[in-house]
Amino acid sequence: MKKRIPFFLISFVLAVLNGYFFNYINNAYLHFDVNNNKFQNISKNELNFIAIFVAPFIETFIFQYLPYLILSKWIKINNKAFCIIIMSIIFSSMHYYNWLYIVMTFFGGIILNNLYIYYHKHTYKYSFILTVLFHSLFNLYGFLFIM
């Protein structure tokens, strides 16, 4: 278990750096409106609650658990890097606010999917919940320090 905590922390630092890098690119050059609430009937607090507590469960199931199950067990693809890229493409394609956000979530997806597959291999029983926790903490970090 001692090796799994540093992996979690290193992955979290990489995810935060990914977010800051793409926010810098956006703020310096592109100026996309990142606070545009496309869900007009949902308050900002409700949206943050969903992003921190609900979405990580749903997204981990849809974008990590199911694709990895399909790719590794049903299609029998053993190449983890290929699985991570396919899962990241699926993950990022559903975050289509603008093209820069898609690219950012692709790299974030690589980090998330790598974490999921690593924990799936080393701590199978906890891989889902650890990925949900990671995703929730990342979204909470974004809410507290980025928004």
Side-chain angles (χ1 to χ4, degrees):
M1 186 68 176
K2 289 183 181 181
K3 291 180 182 178
R4 287 157 188 83
I5 293 171
F7 187 79
F8 188 93
L9 295 174
I10 290 168
S11 297
F12 191 79
V13 168
L14 289 173
V16 168
L17 290 174
N18 178 60
Y20 276 115
F21 174 75
F22 283 100
N23 276 328
Y24 171 77
I25 297 294
N26 184 49
N27 292 337
Y29 303 106
L30 301 171
H31 311 293
F32 287 121
D33 183 11
V34 294
N35 293 317
N36 183 14
N37 185 355
K38 295 186 192 288
F39 306 99
Q40 299 301 325
N41 297 330
I42 300 175
S43 74
K44 205 158 185 106
N45 288 337
E46 291 170 326
L47 200 56
N48 286 325
F49 177 82
I50 291 168
I52 295 166
F53 297 106
V54 179
F57 279 98
I58 296 168
E59 289 184 352
T60 299
F61 183 75
I62 293 173
F63 302 122
Q64 277 87 36
Y65 176 79
L66 282 180
Y68 191 63
L69 176 70
I70 292 167
L71 292 169
S72 66
K73 301 289 187 227
W74 297 354
I75 300 176
K76 306 249 188 249
I77 295 173
N78 293 322
N79 186 331
K80 290 186 184 4
F82 182 74
C83 289
I84 289 169
I85 289 170
I86 295 299
M87 293 161 62
S88 298
I89 290 170
I90 295 167
F91 179 70
S92 65
S93 69
M94 297 311 293
H95 292 83
Y96 51 86
Y97 306 111
N98 58 60
W99 69 265
L100 184 67
Y101 198 78
I102 292 171
V103 174
M104 181 185 79
T105 54
F106 173 76
F107 288 108
I110 287 175
I111 296 165
L112 252 170
N113 294 321
N114 186 50
L115 182 95
Y116 178 78
I117 290 173
Y118 175 84
Y119 283 128
H120 189 269
K121 181 179 178 184
H122 293 93
T123 350
Y124 175 77
K125 289 188 338 187
Y126 303 108
S127 59
F128 184 87
I129 197 66
L130 287 170
T131 306
V132 168
L133 177 65
F134 180 94
H135 197 158
S136 293
L137 288 173
F138 181 74
N139 289 356
L140 176 63
Y141 179 85
F143 168 70
L144 294 175
F145 298 106
I146 306 294
M147 298 300 239

